Amino acid sequence: MSTEPIELAAALARFDQLWSPRIVTTVNDYDVRIAKVAGEHVWHAHDHTDEFFLVLDGELRIALRDGADGAEREVVLPRGAVFVVPRGVEHRPSAPDGASILMFEPSGTSSVGERHDEVPGHVDATTGHRL
């Protein structure tokens, strides 16, 4: 954990990889992660934790399978918007035009959850990388 303030724009400028979250700091047993995203992630679910998203730049879309019959819907998050995907809900983030996001998750949480589709090459299945 840093003892100095962390400027998020400067932290984002330190890497280019998409869908590869960086751990900015920790709070108790939670990671504060930032990521650059573009295109589609993978359908996945976190069985034991909610997933918090804050859009720092661009627009993030999150497809959800949260209806009683598994019906899909999509939420659209513009810059400055927050959204929480409840634990156990299958979801697929995407950013057709690219975005920068901040996530807040328990340390050690996999970026593709416990249940997921096949992970494509452009997605980094990780528990986060230190800046």
Side-chain angles (χ1 to χ4, degrees):
M1 183 168 20
S2 175
T3 60
E4 295 297 323
I6 299 164
E7 211 289 311
L8 293 178
L12 283 160
R14 292 175 55 182
F15 65 97
D16 291 320
Q17 297 84 2
L18 299 174
W19 301 111
S20 186
R22 298 304 195 262
I23 300 168
V24 177
T25 192
T26 57
V27 178
N28 297 316
D29 296 329
Y30 284 77
D31 291 337
V32 178
R33 302 177 184 179
I34 56 173
K36 293 179 181 180
V37 299
E40 291 186 345
H41 198 265
V42 61
W43 278 104
H44 67 284
H46 300 275
D47 293 331
H48 306 290
T49 186
D50 302 331
E51 188 167 20
F52 172 91
F53 293 91
L54 164 63
V55 178
L56 301 172
D57 192 37
E59 179 182 272
L60 182 71
R61 297 170 178 265
I62 303 176
L64 301 158
R65 292 178 178 153
D66 62 352
D69 60 355
E72 292 180 19
R73 69 182 179 104
E74 183 178 71
V75 295
V76 178
L77 288 75
R79 180 180 179 189
V82 299
F83 184 76
V84 175
V85 176
R87 73 189 71 210
V89 172
E90 287 184 285
H91 59 288
R92 183 188 65 211
S94 65
D97 298 320
S100 297
I101 60 176
L102 181 141
M103 296 161 290
F104 190 72
E105 301 178 301
S107 296
T109 299
S110 169
S111 61
V112 295
E114 291 78 32
R115 294 181 286 122
H116 54 81
D117 286 348
E118 184 175 337
V119 179
H122 73 279
V123 172
D124 182 14
T126 181
T127 56
H129 302 282
R130 292 267 172 211
L131 266 178

